Amino acid sequence: MQMIDDILKELAETKSDYLSEISESKQILQKIEEEFRLLEIHIPRDRWLAIGAHVMAFVRRMTNGEKLPVIEAELFAEIRPDMVTLSHKVLSEEKSAWQADDTEAFLLAVHFEAIRAMQMGPS
């Protein structure tokens, strides 16, 4: 948990306009931490920083009603389906009106797949 707080603090210092996204981002990052702990996969600090920046940008897009361009379906073949499913899971919040589309889930899943591959080896 301290790692998440440190990452969010570091990101907020680089961009002061991120302050409004801290709380929502922290909840998502905590879900990610919990899921990876269950998978017994350690997330290195540099990966936390990348994921934190991505999650804060996601929160900003959802808050502002922005959408990313659709990702080509072929790109999904490069990422393990369980990492895409995990990404959808952590980006969806029961009490939230936010709908993480496939593009958002794919982009976060890229981070997850990189971490998984670093520790488990290629599949």
Side-chain angles (χ1 to χ4, degrees):
M1 176 91 121
Q2 184 61 43
M3 175 75 76
I4 291 172
D5 290 336
D6 292 346
I7 294 297
L8 290 171
K9 181 180 177 192
E10 186 174 332
L11 289 169
E13 288 172 356
T14 62
K15 293 210 176 219
S16 61
D17 53 337
Y18 278 161
L19 291 176
S20 62
E21 286 89 16
I22 295 286
S23 178
E24 293 88 353
S25 297
K26 185 173 182 175
Q27 290 175 359
I28 295 169
L29 293 174
Q30 288 172 331
K31 288 167 73 173
I32 292 168
E33 180 181 46
E34 181 179 307
E35 292 294 333
F36 273 79
R37 188 177 315 120
L38 292 172
L39 294 171
E40 297 181 356
I41 297 175
H42 170 74
I43 302 175
R45 188 177 197 296
D46 63 325
R47 295 285 82 210
W48 268 120
L49 196 54
I51 290 171
H54 179 96
V55 167
M56 289 180 112
F58 164 76
V59 169
R60 167 149 300 148
R61 285 190 294 276
M62 293 298 103
T63 301
N64 294 333
E66 299 170 14
K67 294 274 186 188
L68 292 172
V70 175
I71 296 279
E72 295 177 27
E74 300 83 45
L75 293 175
F76 281 87
E78 302 295 320
I79 304 295
R80 289 171 43 113
D82 60 331
M83 292 295 106
V84 176
T85 300
L86 179 59
S87 180
H88 270 293
K89 181 179 179 180
V90 300
L91 291 178
S92 65
E93 181 73 57
E94 302 85 31
K95 60 185 178 260
S96 174
W98 296 347
Q99 292 296 317
D101 59 26
D102 287 341
T103 299
E104 293 287 359
F106 173 80
L107 294 174
L108 186 58
V110 169
H111 292 288
F112 294 172
E113 181 63 20
I115 294 163
R116 189 209 58 79
M118 284 172 39
Q119 292 186 26
M120 309 291 237
S123 51

